[in-house]
Coordinates of all heavy atoms in Angstrom, one line a residue:
P32 N 120.2 112.7 110.9 CA 119.6 113.3 109.7 C 120.1 112.6 108.4 O 119.3 112.4 107.5 CB 119.9 114.8 109.8 CG 121.1 114.8 110.6 CD 121.0 113.7 111.6
E33 N 121.3 112.3 108.3 CA 121.9 111.7 107.1 C 121.3 110.4 106.8 O 120.9 110.0 105.7 CB 123.4 111.6 107.2 CG 124.0 111.1 105.8 CD 125.5 111.2 106.0 OE1 126.1 111.7 107.0 OE2 126.2 110.7 105.0
T34 N 121.2 109.5 107.8 CA 120.6 108.2 107.7 C 119.2 108.2 107.2 O 118.7 107.5 106.4 CB 120.7 107.3 108.9 OG1 122.1 107.2 109.3 CG2 120.2 105.9 108.8
S35 N 118.4 109.2 107.9 CA 117.0 109.4 107.6 C 116.8 109.9 106.1 O 115.9 109.4 105.4 CB 116.4 110.3 108.6 OG 116.5 109.9 109.9
F36 N 117.7 110.7 105.7 CA 117.6 111.3 104.4 C 117.9 110.1 103.3 O 117.1 110.0 102.4 CB 118.7 112.4 104.2 CG 118.7 112.9 102.8 CD1 117.7 113.7 102.2 CD2 119.8 112.5 101.9 CE1 117.8 114.2 100.9 CE2 119.8 112.9 100.6 CZ 118.9 113.8 100.1
Q37 N 118.9 109.3 103.6 CA 119.1 108.2 102.6 C 117.9 107.2 102.6 O 117.6 106.7 101.5 CB 120.4 107.5 103.0 CG 121.7 108.3 102.9 CD 121.9 108.8 101.4 OE1 121.5 108.1 100.5 NE2 122.5 110.0 101.3
A38 N 117.3 107.0 103.7 CA 116.2 106.1 103.8 C 115.0 106.7 103.1 O 114.3 106.0 102.3 CB 115.9 105.7 105.2
S39 N 114.7 108.0 103.3 CA 113.6 108.6 102.6 C 113.9 108.6 101.1 O 112.9 108.5 100.3 CB 113.4 110.0 103.1 OG 114.5 110.8 102.9
L40 N 115.1 108.8 100.7 CA 115.4 108.8 99.3 C 115.1 107.4 98.6 O 114.6 107.3 97.5 CB 116.9 109.2 99.0 CG 117.3 109.4 97.6 CD1 116.5 110.5 97.0 CD2 118.8 109.7 97.5
R41 N 115.5 106.3 99.4 CA 115.2 105.0 98.9 C 113.6 104.8 98.7 O 113.2 104.2 97.7 CB 115.7 103.9 99.9 CG 117.2 103.8 99.8 CD 117.6 102.4 100.5 NE 117.2 102.4 101.8 CZ 118.0 102.8 102.9 NH1 119.2 103.4 102.7 NH2 117.5 102.8 104.1
G42 N 112.9 105.2 99.7 CA 111.4 105.1 99.6 C 110.9 106.0 98.4 O 110.0 105.5 97.7
L43 N 111.4 107.2 98.2 CA 111.0 108.0 97.1 C 111.3 107.3 95.8 O 110.4 107.4 94.8 CB 111.7 109.4 97.2 CG 111.4 110.4 96.0 CD1 109.9 110.7 96.0 CD2 112.2 111.6 96.2
K44 N 112.5 106.8 95.7 CA 112.9 106.1 94.4 C 111.9 104.9 94.1 O 111.5 104.7 93.0 CB 114.3 105.6 94.4 CG 115.3 106.8 94.3 CD 116.8 106.3 94.3 CE 117.7 107.3 94.1 NZ 119.2 106.8 94.1
L45 N 111.7 104.2 95.1 CA 110.8 103.0 95.0 C 109.4 103.4 94.6 O 108.8 102.8 93.6 CB 110.7 102.2 96.3 CG 110.0 100.9 96.3 CD1 110.8 99.9 95.4 CD2 109.9 100.4 97.7
W46 N 108.9 104.5 95.1 CA 107.6 104.9 94.7 C 107.6 105.5 93.3 O 106.7 105.2 92.5 CB 107.1 106.0 95.7 CG 105.8 106.7 95.3 CD1 104.6 106.2 95.4 CD2 105.7 108.0 94.8 NE1 103.6 107.1 95.0 CE2 104.3 108.2 94.6 CE3 106.6 109.0 94.6 CZ2 103.8 109.5 94.2 CZ3 106.1 110.2 94.1 CH2 104.7 110.4 93.9
W47 N 108.6 106.3 93.0 CA 108.5 107.1 91.7 C 108.9 106.1 90.5 O 108.3 106.2 89.5 CB 109.5 108.2 91.7 CG 109.7 108.9 90.5 CD1 110.7 109.0 89.6 CD2 108.7 109.8 89.9 NE1 110.4 109.8 88.6 CE2 109.2 110.3 88.7 CE3 107.4 110.2 90.3 CZ2 108.4 111.2 87.9 CZ3 106.7 111.1 89.5 CH2 107.2 111.5 88.3
N48 N 109.8 105.2 90.8 CA 110.2 104.2 89.7 C 109.3 103.0 89.5 O 109.4 102.4 88.5 CB 111.6 103.7 90.0 CG 112.6 104.8 89.7 OD1 113.1 105.1 88.6 ND2 113.1 105.5 90.8
L49 N 108.5 102.8 90.5 CA 107.6 101.5 90.4 C 106.2 101.8 90.6 O 105.4 101.6 89.8 CB 108.1 100.4 91.5 CG 107.2 99.2 91.6 CD1 107.1 98.4 90.3 CD2 107.7 98.4 92.8
V50 N 105.8 102.3 91.8 CA 104.4 102.4 92.2 C 103.6 103.4 91.3 O 102.6 103.1 90.7 CB 104.2 102.7 93.7 CG1 102.8 102.9 94.0 CG2 104.9 101.6 94.5
F51 N 104.2 104.6 91.2 CA 103.5 105.6 90.5 C 103.2 105.3 89.0 O 102.0 105.3 88.5 CB 104.2 107.0 90.6 CG 103.5 108.2 90.1 CD1 102.6 108.9 91.0 CD2 103.6 108.6 88.8 CE1 101.9 110.0 90.5 CE2 102.9 109.6 88.3 CZ 102.0 110.4 89.2
P52 N 104.3 105.0 88.2 CA 103.9 104.7 86.8 C 103.2 103.4 86.6 O 102.4 103.3 85.6 CB 105.3 104.6 86.2 CG 106.2 104.2 87.3 CD 105.7 104.9 88.5
A53 N 103.3 102.4 87.5 CA 102.6 101.2 87.3 C 101.1 101.3 87.6 O 100.3 100.6 86.9 CB 103.3 100.1 88.2
L54 N 100.7 102.1 88.5 CA 99.4 102.1 89.0 C 98.5 103.3 88.5 O 97.3 103.2 88.4 CB 99.3 102.2 90.5 CG 99.8 100.9 91.3 CD1 99.6 101.1 92.8 CD2 99.1 99.7 90.8

Side-chain angles (χ1 to χ4, degrees):
E33 185 175 354
T34 303
S35 301
F36 174 77
Q37 294 299 328
S39 63
L40 189 61
R41 287 196 300 271
L43 176 62
K44 286 182 177 179
L45 187 63
W46 172 75
W47 179 249
N48 287 278
L49 171 63
V50 176
F51 190 88
L54 294 183

